[in-house]
Amino acid sequence: AQSVAQPEDQVNVAEGNPLTVKCTYSVSGNPYLFWYVQYPNRGLQFLLKYITGDNLVKGSYGFEAEFNKSQTSFHLKKPSALVSDSALYFCAVRLEGGGNKLTFGTGTQLKVEL
Amino acid sequence: DTAVSQTPKYLVTQMGNDKSIKCEQNLGHDTMYWYKQDSKKFLKIMFSYNNKELIINETVPNRFSPKSPDKAHLNLHINSLELGDSAVYFCASSRRTSGITAYEQYFGPGTRLTVT
């Protein structure tokens, strides 16, 4: 079975500082990995994905994520956090050849403070 | 020009009632989904349709019945509503075949269902 873990329920960071939201995955084949963001009372928005190729993936709003196969991780990063980045972030995994089923992590609440 | 839309946005109803939620996407996608997000924000897939064919059917009570009249629409009908059905239900769509946006799911704004 495929799964993702987001070990932190909440991450606090000061505006202007770099941020990292952690994600580790467990699949038996090649993973397709995704990050989504959810603002209050809104649906999820796609940020970025890794399918193959360069391990460093760049996405929307200045976010990037690094696929690390040996550590089975796909951490989300941003060099300089903004207050407007405060939201709930979800990591998700799809198994290659596994249809379109995404398995989501439990979410990490990011709070960026002035 | 909303990409994925859902109606209604809020739904308050009593136990035992039957209700429907509608979803429409104008992205030209061929796959649509229903997700349930509980009070702890945990997100779980319920159903997925590809070109009107059911392809994912997770362990969901058979009181929940999806219907896809065409590949741009996916509705969710719920019979005999229970307190535990209270949640936010999200519709999503994606392009199943390969391409630069393949497998990216685009979500609607959600329907907050409250069963009293």
Side-chain angles (χ1 to χ4, degrees), chain A residues 29-102:
Chain A
N30 292 322
Y32 292 12
L33 294 156
F34 303 80
W35 275 102
Y36 286 81
V37 60
Q38 185 178 25
Y39 296 99
N41 300 314
R42 303 283 294 276
L44 278 70
Q45 294 179 30
F46 170 78
L47 275 180
L48 50 80
K49 67 182 177 186
Y50 171 83
I51 293 180
T52 187
D54 194 346
N55 288 344
L56 184 63
V57 179
K58 294 188 184 296
S60 307
Y61 312 121
F63 284 94
E64 59 188 29
E66 186 167 11
F67 172 65
N68 187 319
K69 190 170 184 177
S70 63
Q71 297 185 6
T72 62
S73 67
F74 189 58
H75 301 331
L76 181 71
K77 299 184 179 186
K78 187 173 182 182
S80 178
L82 298 172
V83 171
S84 57
D85 292 329
S86 299
L88 185 59
Y89 290 80
F90 289 95
C91 182
V93 65
R94 172 193 174 273
L95 184 60
E96 184 182 20
N100 271 24
K101 180 179 176 180
L102 285 185

Side-chain angles (χ1 to χ4, degrees), chain B residues 20-81:
Chain B
S20 292
I21 307 171
K22 296 185 177 181
C23 177
E24 177 181 2
Q25 56 94 4
N26 62 6
L27 296 167
H29 289 164
D30 53 9
T31 305
M32 296 184 72
Y33 312 79
W34 279 111
Y35 285 88
K36 179 180 180 180
Q37 186 174 46
D38 63 22
S39 59
K40 295 184 177 181
K41 304 296 185 183
F42 186 65
L43 197 66
K44 186 169 170 55
I45 190 166
M46 301 172 69
F47 303 103
S48 175
Y49 270 76
N50 177 255
N51 285 325
K52 302 194 297 178
E53 179 186 352
L54 182 65
I55 55 172
I56 295 175
N57 185 352
E58 293 293 289
T59 307
V60 177
N62 57 16
R63 299 182 294 102
F64 290 79
S65 53
K67 284 187 173 56
S68 181
D70 55 62
K71 67 178 185 178
H73 296 84
L74 180 61
N75 303 323
L76 182 65
H77 187 77
I78 316 170
N79 289 328
S80 304
L81 278 154

